[in-house]
Each structure stands twice: as C-alpha cells, then as structure tokens.
Amino acid sequence: AHEEIALSDQVDKRLTVAGVTSLWEILLQDWINNIHCNAPLIGLRAEASSYESIVQKLEQGSIALGFLYEPPQLRDMVVQEVGEVSLIMVSEEQGISVDDALSQGYIRVDWGTLFTSLHEDYFPQRPIAAVRANIASIALGLIDNCGGAAYLPTSLVNEKLRQGKLFKVEDAPEIPLKA
C-alpha cells in the first residue's frame, strides 16, 4: 500500500505482466522496453515465471497480462495470440543429420507441453538428452562453448546462422509455437 501511494505521484497507471522465461528472451523484453521508453507514466512490474504460477496469478487477478505458449483454460479470460515462435534445430556442426544431432550432445530445451508432444511424435526412438535447459540462452551458450544441437528460435540464431557459427539441421522439422 505504501508503494502504491508513493508511486501515484509518479505514474498514471500500473501494469503487471508475467511471462514464461523463454518468452522474455525472444519476444517480451523488446515489448516491455518499448512500453517503458515510450510511456513513462505507466508503472511496470514484470515477472518471469512458470506456466502454473502465471495461470494462478491470472486467476487471482494479481497480474493483468500473462504470456504463455499454451492458452490457459480460464473462465472470463480473453486469450489472444500475440506472435509465433519458430523453433529450428541447430548445431555447431555443418551437415549433421537429425539422428546424429539427437545422439551427439543434444540439449533438450523445455518449450512446454505442446513442444514436448510434437518432439515425441517426431522423434519417438531418440536417445534421452543428457542435458536439459529451461531457457534458450543456456542451450545456446552450451552449444557455443561445448558443441551440440538444440531446438532454438530462429530469431535468436539467425545472426549465427548467417555468420556460419551455427547450422540448421536440414532434416529436422521446424516446430512453430504460438505465444
């Protein structure tokens, strides 16, 4: 309450948003930067959180906007698609097959249940990945420093693809996710 009263002299409105961590890296950071730079009279609270926590906070009304890959089943909530994230399998090794990429240093990034389901459908006989990460930058750092392959957003890896530092695994399917 003390914070709200103190802020009322500085801002006209408050906006509290939460998003799954991986969406902050590839979509939400630019969006929140734009709001902060262009609407300084809006007080912002931004959170990176889990799917479950965001859904709970939406139900409680403690956040105004929640950004997820999978729409929650909530009454009286408006769900709107704000973008698509295209995931491609990349490797530091040029010309590697999808089978080799999955069996030689594959890093499994947790993109949510839809991705997991599609991944299982595409690769039912794949080896279990020894390394898992919950955000793209961890997987990208591991590939940059130690090699391997992972499904990462095209927007995150385009520059490295152009520079020849990463290569698309050509026979791996692209997996689109909606935000």
Side-chain angles (χ1 to χ4, degrees):
H2 174 71
E3 184 179 301
E4 289 296 323
I5 291 169
L7 276 176
S8 65
D9 292 338
Q10 300 172 36
V11 299
D12 289 339
K13 300 206 185 300
R14 303 236 334 129
L15 178 62
T16 304
V17 299
V20 291
T21 305
S22 57
L23 275 174
W24 280 107
E25 290 185 307
I26 56 180
L27 180 71
L28 297 178
Q29 188 64 55
D30 289 340
W31 176 79
I32 202 97
N33 291 350
N34 190 33
I35 290 173
H36 181 59
C37 291
N38 296 306
L41 294 179
I42 296 177
L44 294 171
R45 181 177 176 122
E47 301 175 9
S49 197
S50 69
Y51 174 90
E52 295 80 11
S53 178
I54 294 169
V55 171
Q56 182 181 33
K57 288 177 181 183
L58 284 167
E59 286 178 318
Q60 295 169 345
S62 60
I63 60 173
L65 297 170
F67 293 89
L68 308 160
Y69 290 114
E70 297 148 28
Q73 304 299 316
L74 299 173
R75 288 179 299 155
D76 302 325
M77 285 286 160
V78 175
V79 176
Q80 182 176 345
E81 182 181 329
V82 294
E84 186 171 286
V85 177
S86 177
L87 301 174
I88 59 172
M89 188 185 290
V90 295
S91 173
E92 94 296 349
E93 187 177 331
Q94 187 172 15
I96 192 170
S97 71
V98 69
D99 290 335
D100 287 343
L102 288 166
S103 63
Q104 299 171 13
Y106 182 65
I107 301 157
R108 177 76 179 270
V109 181
D110 180 10
W111 294 106
T113 55
L114 177 61
F115 173 82
T116 298
S117 176
L118 291 170
H119 194 271
E120 297 293 322
D121 289 346
Y122 288 131
F123 311 115
Q125 302 300 321
R126 83 200 178 299
I128 301 299
V131 178
R132 293 182 69 113
N134 69 345
I135 57 173
S137 60
I138 294 172
L140 184 57
L142 288 167
I143 293 170
D144 285 346
N145 290 287
C146 307
Y151 265 99
L152 297 173
T154 54
S155 61
L156 184 66
V157 297
N158 271 337
E159 185 61 28
K160 288 183 182 277
L161 291 168
R162 278 193 291 278
Q163 295 170 347
K165 294 179 179 178
L166 285 179
F167 302 93
K168 186 173 189 271
V169 178
E170 293 299 333
D171 56 340
E174 184 174 320
I175 301 178
L177 297 178
K178 297 188 183 315

